[in-house]
Amino acid sequence: MTTTIRKCDIQDLKTLREIGIETFNDTFAEQNKPENMHAYLAKAFDEKKFQQELNTPNSSFFFISHNNQLAGFLKVNVGTAQSEPMGDDSLEVERIYVRKSFKRMGLGKKLMNYAFELANQQAKTKIWLGVWEKNTSAILFYEQQGFVLTDKHSFWMGDDEQIDWIMTKSLA
């Protein structure tokens, strides 16, 4: 069984969007109203917006494949590309998406370890992410990786204000 990670480019736009919509929907549809899901997906995964994200300096997307099947992706940001002003010593894990059929295979951990490697290569002293406070399985996973709750912020799912936990791990 082989697992590979590769950096995405603009030719991967369509596939990235499809996986993003699929995994977000699989993860959050049951806990949110359909109209809020639709509004969020239309905004967050708009083709032009996603293309902008792919072309943003200091943002990178990476596909993970397992046995030659595309299993998910990772998005990281540094510098001014971070979604919150966390400083030049930080790397943000903005998205870590694994398709439903590939869950519980250790692929999320492989993507997280890859993010740690990227942070170390860039001499970052901390890594951080935002996670919905009701996504208990993700929170547990992040805690197992050494992340701790350091802040909170609002996240809008359509017209529903939700709370994201900001979780941080020191790399120093």
Side-chain angles (χ1 to χ4, degrees), residues 62 74 76-78 88-93 111-128 147 169-172:
F62 301 89
L74 167 73
V76 297
N77 302 312
V78 296
D88 288 334
D89 63 336
S90 298
L91 179 137
E92 174 188 16
V93 173
L111 287 172
M112 187 59 74
N113 286 338
Y114 194 76
F116 293 151
E117 288 176 32
L118 292 170
N120 285 325
Q121 288 169 7
Q122 297 175 45
K124 303 301 180 189
T125 59
K126 65 182 173 182
I127 189 166
W128 71 277
F147 286 84
K169 177 178 176 161
S170 175
L171 300 174

Side-chain angles (χ1 to χ4, degrees), residues 4-9 12 61-65 70 114:
T4 58
I5 297 175
R6 76 161 176 88
K7 189 169 185 178
C8 300
D9 60 32
D12 298 312
F61 287 83
F62 301 89
F63 277 142
I64 188 165
S65 295
L70 203 48
Y114 194 76

Side-chain angles (χ1 to χ4, degrees), residues 53-169:
E53 288 185 42
L54 262 168
N55 290 324
T56 297
N58 296 324
S59 285
S60 299
F61 287 83
F62 301 89
F63 277 142
I64 188 165
S65 295
H66 183 70
N67 293 337
N68 296 316
Q69 294 182 346
L70 203 48
F73 71 86
L74 167 73
K75 180 185 181 198
V76 297
N77 302 312
V78 296
T80 57
Q82 295 177 88
S83 61
E84 297 278 339
M86 299 295 266
D88 288 334
D89 63 336
S90 298
L91 179 137
E92 174 188 16
V93 173
E94 185 177 351
R95 294 188 183 118
I96 185 165
Y97 289 177
V98 176
R99 289 175 143 164
K100 195 176 192 176
S101 60
F102 292 93
K103 298 248 179 180
R104 309 277 182 252
M105 294 181 169
L107 300 180
K109 186 170 183 172
K110 286 181 188 286
L111 287 172
M112 187 59 74
N113 286 338
Y114 194 76
F116 293 151
E117 288 176 32
L118 292 170
N120 285 325
Q121 288 169 7
Q122 297 175 45
K124 303 301 180 189
T125 59
K126 65 182 173 182
I127 189 166
W128 71 277
L129 51 83
V131 58
W132 186 29
E133 68 179 346
K134 294 182 181 177
N135 191 348
T136 53
S137 61
I139 290 169
L140 179 61
F141 170 75
Y142 298 136
E143 288 173 340
Q144 291 169 344
Q145 303 307 305
F147 286 84
V148 295
L149 174 64
T150 54
D151 204 352
K152 298 177 183 180
H153 69 194
S154 292
F155 174 85
W156 289 92
M157 177 70 72
D159 66 1
D160 183 25
E161 183 178 16
Q162 300 179 354
I163 302 299
D164 266 3
W165 287 8
I166 304 295
M167 298 184 77
T168 306
K169 177 178 176 161

